[in-house]
Amino acid sequence: MIGQDLDAPALSLSAFLRALRERQSPAEFGLAAGARRRTPGLRREEVAQLCGLSVTWYTWIEQGRDVSVSASTLARLARGLRLSRAERSYLFEVGGKRDPERPGHRDDPPEEVLACVDAIDGPAYILDRTWGARRWNAKASRLFAGWLDADGEKNLLRYIFLRPEARTLILDWTSRAQRVVAEFRAAVTAYSDDPDIRRLVEELRVGSPDFERCWETQGVLAREGGERAFDHPTMGLLHYQQVSLSLAGWSDYRLTMLLAAPTIRNR
């Protein structure tokens, strides 16, 4: 019996595909609505044709059979059914596969989203997929001498490992640098085939023995907040609480805020 072959993930994918099919308008795909249609939306054979799949294979997927659905099959379904970015992301989520095209990563956040750093009362910046700074506020520019205060390279990893200013600015540079590399490795695992990421890693491995050492430890850590301390050449010793958040709708972009740390008084 078909019911004996069902599992929870397959049922989630099955229910989503059936709902998608039933709410599609045949006319939007150049298909005649016809008076003889007994079900709303598209027929299974029409979905299969639109997506370049066999009718039997699509039927099994929609029935929730215990079959292995590849990422390429999910991509065909997404293209054929003209899914939105959110729908495509959900399709791959319930299908248990990584989206090879990562549609959410192709688009940059709009100007009004990037401009949110100007409303933050503390140094703040937004990093992209390769950890290049895409936007920062005036306080971040003043704090990060040699990185955000001048024209030129804006990649955080290049700054930390290739610029001498970083080693004097960041207190406990060695441990912070090792953690940053572990956070970067965790963040880009899904993009191991991205040529920009690969070029950056190879460049840093060649140009910085410290990066090479950190990279070879295979450390993997989530990018989290916490206490951060800096020894600024003009502002002196500074302490902050770092908060990092992914931008909703643009998961490749991460907002980092350095908020004033509570003052500790000696008793």
Side-chain angles (χ1 to χ4, degrees):
M1 295 177 61
I2 291 176
Q4 295 176 334
D5 294 330
L6 300 181
D7 57 26
L11 283 172
S12 297
L13 179 60
S14 166
F16 185 53
L17 286 174
R18 184 168 60 254
L20 284 173
R21 176 173 61 80
E22 291 177 351
R23 67 171 173 254
Q24 302 298 329
S25 168
E28 291 183 1
F29 294 87
L31 301 171
R36 299 180 60 185
R37 286 182 180 270
R38 291 175 295 178
T39 57
L42 301 174
R43 300 187 180 100
R44 284 176 174 167
E45 56 267 29
E46 290 170 336
V47 172
Q49 182 178 3
L50 288 169
C51 300
L53 302 173
S54 73
V55 177
T56 299
W57 184 242
Y58 174 76
T59 300
W60 284 357
I61 297 171
E62 192 183 292
Q63 287 176 340
R65 298 245 191 151
D66 186 18
V67 295
S68 179
V69 182
S70 66
S72 62
T73 296
L74 294 177
R76 287 186 178 189
L77 288 167
R79 288 193 297 270
L81 292 172
R82 304 175 187 174
L83 301 190
S84 68
R85 183 172 64 186
E87 289 171 333
R88 180 176 177 129
S89 177
Y90 185 77
L91 177 70
F92 276 86
E93 182 68 25
V94 296
K97 293 292 187 293
R98 181 188 302 167
D99 187 349
E101 296 182 14
R102 298 188 288 276
H105 306 133
R106 291 197 299 244
D107 303 323
D108 291 336
E111 174 64 22
E112 57 268 25
V113 172
L114 294 174
C116 72
V117 295
D118 295 324
I120 297 170
D121 186 21
Y125 54 87
I126 295 174
L127 299 180
D128 62 17
R129 183 180 70 251
T130 64
W131 285 26
R134 298 298 296 271
R135 185 63 64 87
W136 54 94
N137 61 15
K139 289 186 177 181
S141 182
R142 287 194 296 271
L143 173 62
F144 291 102
W147 180 34
L148 301 180
D149 65 337
D151 295 335
E153 176 57 50
K154 292 296 184 288
N155 185 272
L156 177 58
L157 290 167
R158 290 192 180 104
Y159 169 66
I160 290 175
F161 287 96
L162 302 180
R163 295 298 298 266
E165 299 96 328
R167 295 175 183 263
T168 57
L169 175 68
I170 301 170
L171 289 187
D172 195 12
W173 181 91
T174 300
S175 63
R176 290 299 312 147
Q178 183 161 340
R179 181 175 183 89
V180 165
V181 173
E183 292 171 346
F184 180 72
R185 181 188 285 275
V188 302
T189 297
Y191 320 125
S192 58
D193 58 342
D194 187 304
D196 292 333
I197 298 288
R198 300 179 79 169
R199 280 194 296 268
L200 175 62
V201 170
E202 289 308 308
E203 174 196 333
L204 290 168
R205 294 182 70 175
V206 171
S208 171
D210 288 309
F211 180 88
E212 169 72 3
R213 172 181 53 78
C214 294
W215 188 257
E216 286 302 312
T217 64
Q218 299 287 321
V220 177
L221 292 169
R223 186 161 172 78
E224 298 174 344
E227 295 183 4
R228 301 291 185 267
F230 303 90
D231 186 7
H232 195 272
T234 61
M235 293 186 287
L237 192 60
L238 301 169
H239 291 270
Y240 296 98
Q241 280 291 129
Q242 179 177 300
V243 177
S244 293
L245 305 169
S246 292
L247 299 184
W250 295 273
S251 58
D252 282 345
Y253 288 77
R254 198 156 184 89
L255 168 65
T256 296
M257 299 172 283
L258 295 169
L259 308 178
T263 301
I264 301 175
R265 302 179 187 275
N266 293 327
R267 296 186 179 180

